[in-house]
Amino acid sequence: CLTAFGERIAARDPDRQTAEIHIRAALINRFNALGTAEVVRVA
């Protein structure tokens, strides 16, 4: 799923690569949360 936000990692520094991957994962998780239906118990 990381390729949805770009084919390659733009950063060259290993620490920045890690940060970039964390940001991409957070974006994917946020989009998934927005698209998930909220279930409410009625009875």
Side-chain angles (χ1 to χ4, degrees):
C1 288
L2 290 178
T3 58
F5 293 102
E7 296 270 335
R8 301 186 314 165
I9 298 172
R12 293 188 181 198
D13 181 42
D15 291 334
R16 291 183 185 208
Q17 287 179 353
T18 304
E20 186 176 339
I21 292 172
H22 283 284
I23 291 169
R24 290 181 185 196
L27 282 172
I28 291 170
N29 289 336
R30 181 66 177 150
F31 287 145
N32 284 340
L34 288 173
T36 304
E38 186 174 329
V39 178
V40 179
R41 190 176 201 177
V42 177

